């Protein structure tokens, strides 16, 4: 159902205020040169991807196997495999305190929340019996996710130190179908979703006040991907990667129509994927305010590469596919000049 709704967004008219923003065009590579550094794997792990960062020097991800999976944390490039429960694991967030959130499923169609805290996996029962899906965690330990109430999906926030209490359920318009909520370090929450065939983005202040994300004129919001500092990153049909501030005002459209916003730093450096209109292959790109695009090179011997997160200092984490073995392996990109 969600897929059909999203397919309709390309022609949907969005009833929201609009602002004219000039879209960027691909520029020549900047003086800063990124190099790809494959990340080491823990003993016994042969395939993995780095998908999240705490914004500092730590990346996190999971092993990609058909047997017992593991969550992995890379501290300054050194891997640590966490003792893992059985089942298929999904990692959605990590913070500097070493907390991780995500999900776990033992069989198709079942799932439970995953919370690693104080050096151990915590009981999913701490979140109550609503089988929440956890989608992010901030520096303070606040967790955002989705719960089902009366047959509808609701956006919920569990505040650090009060996770055993019922979550704060954020107000949404009637009929709103949410996707993946994102949470900032100040407690703000942003999300993209649909009401029937129309697309909307919202941001909630820590006190629960809801504001609508401004839609670029002639565009349609298609994704909210993350929050860092007072910036929200996402995408809009016709514009690609776009940024908002915490009031919902549109800040910039650093991409083109064939880009997708992935992550942002508090200074406004954007990580996005770029697809050449002439082909289907995508490449990760970093663009800082007022600077040229910086295309991230695929590691030697790879057939493709993708990025998932960026630190405050501009280090990018992701994965690549080894051209010989076909295995997905973790990588980070650093700017060396």
């Amino acid at each position: 159902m969600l897929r059909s709704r999203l397919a309709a967004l390309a022609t949907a008219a969005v009833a929201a205020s609009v602002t004219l923003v000039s879209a960027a065009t691909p520029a020549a590579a900047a003086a800063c040169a990124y190099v790809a550094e494959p990340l080491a794997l823990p003993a016994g792990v042969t395939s993995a991807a780095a998908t999240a960062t705490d914004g500092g020097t730590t990346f996190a991800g999971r092993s990609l196997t058909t047997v017992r999976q593991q969550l992995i944390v890379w501290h300054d490039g050194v891997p640590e495999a966490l003792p893992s429960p059985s089942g298929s694991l999904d990692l959605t967030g990590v913070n500097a305190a070493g907390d991780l959130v995500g999900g776990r499923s033992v069989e198709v169609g079942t799932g439970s929340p995953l919370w690693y805290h104080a050096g151990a996996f915590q009981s999913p029962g701490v979140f109550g019996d609503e089988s929440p899906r956890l989608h992010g965690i901030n520096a303070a330990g606040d967790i955002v996710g989705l719960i089902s109430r009366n047959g509808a999906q609701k956006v919920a926030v569990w505040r650090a130190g009060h996770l055993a209490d019922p979550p704060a359920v954020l107000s949404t318009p009637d009929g709103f179908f949410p996707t993946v909520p994102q949470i900032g370090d100040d407690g703000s929450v942003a999300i993209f979703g649909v009401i029937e065939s129309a697309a909307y983005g919202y941001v909630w202040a820590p006190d629960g006040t809801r504001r609508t994300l401004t839609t670029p004129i002639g565009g349609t919001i298609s994704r909210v991907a993350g929050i860092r500092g007072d910036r929200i990153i996402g995408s809009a049909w016709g514009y690609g990667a776009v940024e908002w501030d915490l009031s919902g005002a549109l800040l910039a459209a650093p991409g083109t129509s064939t880009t997708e916003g992935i992550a942002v730093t508090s200074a406004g450096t954007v990580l996005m994927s770029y697809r050449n209109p002439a082909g289907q292959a995508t490449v990760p790109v970093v663009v800082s305010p007022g600077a040229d695009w910086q295309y991230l090179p695929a590691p030697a011997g790879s057939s493709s590469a993708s990025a998932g997160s960026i630190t405050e200092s501009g280090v990018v984490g992701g994965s690549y596919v080894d051209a010989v073995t076909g295995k997905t392996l973790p990588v980070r990109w650093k700017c060396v000049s």
Side-chain angles (χ1 to χ4, degrees):
M1 180 171 61
L2 177 58
R3 181 176 298 176
S4 63
R5 285 173 171 171
L6 296 180
L9 296 182
T11 57
V14 180
S17 59
V18 296
T19 298
L20 180 62
V21 176
S22 297
T25 56
C32 173
Y34 271 88
V35 296
E37 296 181 350
L39 289 167
L41 292 172
V45 176
T46 59
S47 180
T51 56
T53 181
D54 65 353
T57 60
T58 297
F59 288 100
R62 65 180 179 90
S63 62
L64 304 172
T65 64
T66 56
V67 293
R68 182 182 290 270
Q69 296 181 347
Q70 290 181 290
L71 297 184
I72 305 169
V73 178
W74 287 269
H75 306 280
D76 289 319
V78 179
E80 174 191 5
L82 304 182
S84 295
S86 61
S88 177
L89 307 180
D90 181 34
L91 174 72
T92 56
V94 60
N95 67 12
D99 293 346
L100 293 91
V101 295
R104 167 179 173 257
S105 61
V106 178
E107 57 186 44
V108 176
T110 66
S112 61
L114 194 69
W115 179 41
Y116 185 83
H117 173 69
F121 286 97
Q122 305 298 311
S123 169
V126 72
F127 297 100
D129 59 359
E130 295 180 291
S131 299
R133 288 175 287 159
L134 308 182
H135 291 292
I137 187 168
N138 66 11
D142 301 328
I143 296 172
V144 68
L146 297 175
I147 59 175
S148 179
R149 286 191 176 176
N150 301 319
Q153 292 291 300
K154 299 294 185 180
V155 183
V157 177
W158 293 263
R159 296 299 179 190
H162 300 276
L163 270 68
D165 298 337
V169 178
L170 303 181
S171 65
T172 54
D174 291 342
F176 181 70
F177 189 90
T179 54
V180 179
Q182 307 292 331
I183 190 165
D185 283 341
D186 74 336
S188 296
V189 172
I191 197 168
F192 156 75
V194 296
I195 300 175
E196 296 182 346
S197 61
Y200 297 89
Y202 297 109
V203 56
W204 291 266
D207 65 2
T209 302
R210 186 184 77 229
R211 297 181 175 90
T212 301
L213 298 182
T214 302
T215 304
I217 190 167
T220 303
I221 297 173
S222 59
R223 185 185 192 207
V224 169
I227 304 177
R228 186 74 62 77
D230 61 358
R231 295 173 181 268
I232 302 168
I233 185 68
S235 305
W237 297 111
Y239 285 81
V242 292
E243 291 179 81
W244 298 268
D245 65 20
L246 296 183
S247 75
L250 198 59
L251 292 178
T256 64
S257 61
T258 59
T259 62
E260 184 175 31
I262 299 173
V264 67
T265 72
S266 60
T269 295
V270 171
L271 171 65
M272 59 188 181
S273 63
Y274 169 70
R275 177 176 57 82
N276 188 317
Q280 294 302 313
T282 61
V283 295
V285 176
V286 172
V287 57
S288 298
D292 291 341
W293 286 20
Q294 300 169 68
Y295 298 86
L296 305 188
S302 67
S303 59
S304 63
S306 61
S309 60
I310 186 170
T311 70
E312 284 290 86
S313 63
V315 180
V316 176
S319 62
Y320 69 98
V321 177
D322 184 272
V324 175
T325 66
K327 291 182 176 179
T328 298
L329 300 170
V331 64
R332 65 180 176 182
W333 287 269
K334 287 184 173 182
C335 185
V336 296
S337 62

